[in-house]
Amino acid sequence: MMMTSVNTDYNNDLHDWGAIEHQIKCIAEAGFSHTQWIHDWEGEYLYSRSEMFQARDVLSYYGLKAHTIHASEGGQRDIFDAQGHRVPHVRQRCTRIRKDYTNPNEYLRLAGVDLLKNRIDLCSHIGANAMVLHMQLSFGMFQKNKEDMEDYYHQVYKSFDEVQPYAKAAGVKIALENLLFTPVKYELDKFERMFSRYDPEFIGLCYDSGHASIMCQDNYYLYLQKFYDRLYVTHLQDTDSVPAENLDDDLSVLHADAHRVPFTGVLDWDEIAYWVAKAPLELPADFEIGLKYSQAFESQEEEMRLLADCHERAVKFYQMVLDAKEKQ
């Protein structure tokens, strides 16, 4: 059986159960077997147990299996510039976040731990085996003062030490994602620190191919090559990348993160399939795509046509991974 997975928010991330269920229904009708639950990936929303049961039952009703989820690490990290453009606030600590497991304020840190445990509970209720976490780095702060970086990781370690037994008891792994905006050296440092401190039953990698195609301009596959043995989740998408001179322009980077379906951009999907085949990741690999994101489809027919095309690409990639496994 060919297994395929796509994100539940392929068109929007509205807090509207009607919109959520519509997307899940369409995913199932397009032929996908699995999904990554990504709704509420950003913000401080806490799922109640009744909502967790609702998510489980909606997925079950349409015959979809929950593969993974995208967890949140606190409030929105965006600000608006003088022209009214939404700009990611990632270089410094975002002070508006009230649930932040990296925060030096103990109350806010503990609230952030509660948010992580809430998403572990969501995994348990819907049957997902791993959750993605951004672990956004305030790298502008790190660049100014190395002590601030060590203080940041001190709080991270404290929080993850507390979360570890909870996650292991639930059988849920946390997969740290390679991010936009953050320079590669800080991302590598993040992964090396966390993978050396925590065992593979707790912490792994989520490879976002689109992010890598933008930030890792010398080698789109760097994180796969270095950390494939920790690869538990994927966010597979394609982009046209961005000129290297624009990497310090956060708006340019954000707009380049196109979340297009695979096989439409700069990435070598044979290379990605090779590393996915070597990894301990439980298939299928998750696609993370945006189909006319936050825009209305012209018709139900257009929506299903685009989803069917995405499913065909997911089937193709699944077969590529199987072929790569046979050759290894």
Side-chain angles (χ1 to χ4, degrees):
M1 173 186 171
M2 290 287 182
M3 295 187 293
T4 51
S5 179
V6 73
N7 48 305
T8 55
D9 67 338
Y10 63 83
N11 181 240
N12 70 66
D13 193 40
L14 298 175
H15 302 275
D16 176 337
W17 275 101
I20 292 171
E21 183 169 352
H22 170 78
Q23 291 181 112
I24 290 170
K25 177 176 180 289
C26 291
I27 288 169
E29 290 181 353
F32 288 93
S33 59
H34 293 68
T35 189
Q36 178 175 130
W37 188 277
I38 300 194
H39 294 285
D40 307 295
W41 68 272
E42 183 181 39
E44 297 168 339
Y45 188 81
L46 291 171
Y47 280 83
S48 67
R49 292 202 180 276
S50 62
E51 288 176 299
M52 296 178 191
F53 288 130
Q54 182 170 3
R56 178 201 66 187
D57 291 347
V58 168
L59 291 170
S60 177
Y61 180 80
Y62 291 107
L64 277 175
K65 294 182 179 180
H67 193 221
T68 56
I69 76 163
H70 195 320
S72 175
E73 57 182 4
Q76 292 184 337
R77 298 169 184 268
D78 297 325
I79 58 176
F80 292 89
D81 64 16
Q83 288 73 44
H85 298 133
R86 186 180 178 190
V87 182
H89 184 72
V90 295
R91 296 172 185 270
Q92 305 298 328
R93 185 180 293 282
C94 189
T95 58
R96 300 191 310 276
I97 298 177
R98 297 170 63 184
K99 295 180 176 65
D100 177 7
Y101 65 89
T102 75
N103 205 292
N105 179 307
E106 186 67 0
Y107 298 104
L108 301 185
R109 187 191 69 79
L110 289 171
V113 169
D114 288 340
L115 182 60
L116 295 182
K117 289 181 177 179
N118 180 261
R119 295 307 195 264
I120 291 170
D121 290 344
L122 177 61
C123 283
S124 296
H125 280 71
I126 69 176
N129 60 19
M131 70 182 205
V132 176
L133 192 65
H134 275 181
M135 193 169 164
Q136 189 70 58
L137 303 177
S138 305
F139 62 91
M141 181 175 73
F142 299 172
Q143 289 168 335
K144 293 178 181 177
N145 188 340
K146 186 172 174 54
E147 289 184 6
D148 285 337
M149 182 168 71
E150 296 308 320
D151 289 343
Y152 166 90
Y153 277 106
H154 176 77
Q155 297 304 98
V156 168
Y157 297 152
K158 189 188 298 186
S159 294
F160 274 72
D161 288 351
E162 294 169 12
V163 170
Q164 180 172 208
Y166 195 86
K168 285 187 172 182
V172 173
K173 296 183 176 71
I174 296 177
L176 303 179
E177 184 174 349
N178 58 291
L179 301 179
L180 290 178
F181 314 114
T182 309
V184 170
K185 70 174 183 178
Y186 290 114
E187 284 289 289
L188 286 173
D189 180 62
K190 174 178 79 175
F191 293 132
E192 288 167 355
R193 285 174 182 257
M194 299 300 285
F195 295 164
S196 63
R197 183 178 177 92
Y198 298 106
D199 65 59
E201 296 307 308
F202 177 42
I203 297 293
L205 168 70
C206 170
Y207 174 70
D208 189 306
S209 56
H211 294 176
S213 72
I214 295 167
M215 301 306 300
C216 302
Q217 301 219 342
D218 293 332
N219 182 0
Y220 301 153
Y221 319 102
L222 173 65
Y223 301 123
L224 288 176
Q225 293 166 358
K226 290 185 68 68
F227 306 118
Y228 71 89
D229 59 340
R230 290 281 192 135
L231 179 66
Y232 298 136
V233 186
T234 59
H235 281 173
L236 300 184
Q237 53 140 329
D238 222 331
T239 78
D240 292 326
S241 193
V242 68
E245 60 268 23
N246 289 355
L247 284 179
D248 284 332
D249 181 342
D250 289 345
L251 273 180
S252 293
V253 168
L254 181 65
H255 293 156
D257 187 30
H259 287 268
R260 293 208 310 265
V261 291
F263 309 104
T264 60
V266 298
L267 288 157
D268 180 342
W269 290 95
D270 285 313
E271 179 80 7
I272 294 172
Y274 171 82
W275 292 107
V276 169
K278 287 179 69 72
L281 177 149
E282 291 185 20
L283 293 175
D286 294 322
F287 277 26
E288 189 196 31
I289 49 88
L291 301 180
K292 300 187 72 170
Y293 199 79
S294 295
Q295 301 176 48
F297 292 103
E298 293 178 5
S299 64
Q300 179 73 14
E301 289 74 19
E302 180 193 32
E303 183 171 6
M304 292 309 301
R305 176 175 55 79
L306 292 174
L307 269 175
D309 173 70
C310 181
H311 180 255
E312 288 179 9
R313 295 169 188 273
V315 169
K316 177 180 178 180
F317 183 76
Y318 183 82
Q319 186 61 55
M320 290 167 65
V321 173
L322 294 184
D323 292 344
K325 283 181 178 291
E326 287 187 1
K327 295 176 182 177
Q328 290 175 2

